[in-house]
Amino acid sequence: MRLGLALLFTAAAASLAQPWASPMNDLLLGAQSINLWQLDQLAKKPAVLVVQGDPQWALDQLQPTFKAQWFKQPLDHFDKSRKETFLQRFWVSDRHYKPGGPVIVLDGGETSGENRLPFLDTGIVDILANATNGLGVVLEHRYYGRSTPVLNLTTDALRFLNNNQSAADSANFMADVKFEGIDADLTAPGTPWIYYGGSYAGARAAHMRVLYPDLTFGAMASSAVTHATVVYWEYLEVIRLNAPQDCVARIQSTIELVDRILDVPFLRKPLKGLFGLADLEHDDDFVSVLRAPLSGWQGRNWDPAVGSTAFEEFCATLLGDRTQPAELGEFMLDVALLNYATWIKAYVSARCPEDHTVEECFGTYDPAKYADVSLSNEWRLWRFQVCTEWGYFMTAPPDPDHPRIVSRRITLEYVSKFCPLSYPPGEFFSIPPLPEVDRAVNSLGDFALAADRLAFIDGTADPWMPATPHSWYAPVRKDTVSRPFKSIQDAVHHWDENGLPNPADEPRRIREIHEQEVDFVTAWLKDFNASGADRLRAEIRKQYEDIMRLDILS
């Protein structure tokens, strides 16, 4: 069974070889990522769209290892006059469960829950369930995958996609779910629930421990972006500091030269032509395309079957010396720029179909590109959350003298312009002028978010690290059993989430973090059992005192 899903995960990873495949990755490219998403769809066969209400909707086509189950949720948890509901999808692994064991739930985050099933099979959920006789669960996030409560993705339809509603979904699920084939009541707080999430879902895991501490006995927040911000230039800074420095030097020199050439109007078109983008009208669109290879950094993983090698391949191209320098006007085009152009032309520009113009493929100024609100345009989901509550618009460094690996033409105005274009005011809801990051996210603790039985796990080379409690801007804290604070050297994005069928085959640093996670979770569960015994003793003592009082009164 495990081999089947491991192969499925490998195949899925191969399908995600494009470095911009992750929704969180998409933020690096801003509006340009929507173009790349649309180009991906053009290259694929039309998908069969299944929605709730369709007779075929409930037919699960996943391998039978884990069967999809469904839990009814209110569309709006906070307005009791509304009666709309939807079905939230989840999957269960009971291969390790024994009565008295905990529930280990993994938050699906901003993607289809099907993409998280490998973690139920060989990853962190299976690791913890195996160590604790626990029940493993993957819970799909509202609006993602098939947990879709609406028939379109207009601004009004998306207004229930927010932090508070999503957290209430999880709390309602934990307090009231019934698992098929298990007679025992495993709801919280009677059963300890350990809530795991990575990236955006990592922040949700931390938020669940703060918002619903009685239900969420413990939480593990991996690469958890507990700090939301409108401008997030630090993403690129992590890449600049951690990527191979010979590669970084060539990226920097290329971007600086590109910016200088673009200052000369008559050289703009021939420069763009070197990258296969001669007819791309706007300079900021052009330099946004040049950011595409940087997205590959986040896609790296310790397991080659899962991770992308796109960044390494880009650097290999960039560092090649086969190209001879050339001249463009008064400028000498060095090997770095010409190799950069070769990579963009081969792996990005070439994706534009012959029946499309370059402007149609890579231009971002046409409002019509953002107008389709059908359910098939799933790019609208995470970006709605970005535009309303999370931010993370990735610009050039605010200090013009700071070294940079993206063009100075990448401004907040440019990277955020898709928000008003994609989500015009509706009848019931309008997006804010800028994301309300402090109200929606940072008010829950920000960099200093902490609680007993809440663990943070981060990678030192993760471009999201500056938005986590391990950030350069965060207060220093200790690593304890009650409040674990783990850092994986040179790791990127939630590298502890996936695992191998044989843990001995994992790299030492991954094997060690998994062992540490098992250690502190089992220690937490001992506290639950002890507190449960204390509660039982207290109840017996109260019953005894009540009996004694009745005897005295009688």
Side-chain angles (χ1 to χ4, degrees), residues 302-303 500 503-513:
W302 58 267
D303 183 356
L500 296 178
D505 294 334
E506 296 172 356
R508 180 176 178 179
R509 57 183 163 167
I510 302 302
R511 187 171 64 251
E512 287 178 348
I513 191 64

Side-chain angles (χ1 to χ4, degrees), residues 1-11 62-63 65-66 95 114 117-122:
M1 288 296 221
R2 290 193 181 197
L3 178 61
L5 263 189
L7 292 175
L8 177 64
F9 195 13
T10 301
L62 203 64
Q63 290 189 2
T65 306
F66 302 117
R95 61 165 65 127
E114 291 179 1
L117 292 185
F119 309 131
L120 193 61
D121 187 50
T122 61

Side-chain angles (χ1 to χ4, degrees), residues 218-240:
M220 299 169 62
S222 181
S223 295
V225 287
T226 59
H227 172 74
T229 180
V230 174
V231 173
Y232 188 54
W233 67 276
E234 291 90 347
Y235 183 102
L236 297 151
E237 183 68 357
V238 172
I239 300 174
R240 191 185 71 81

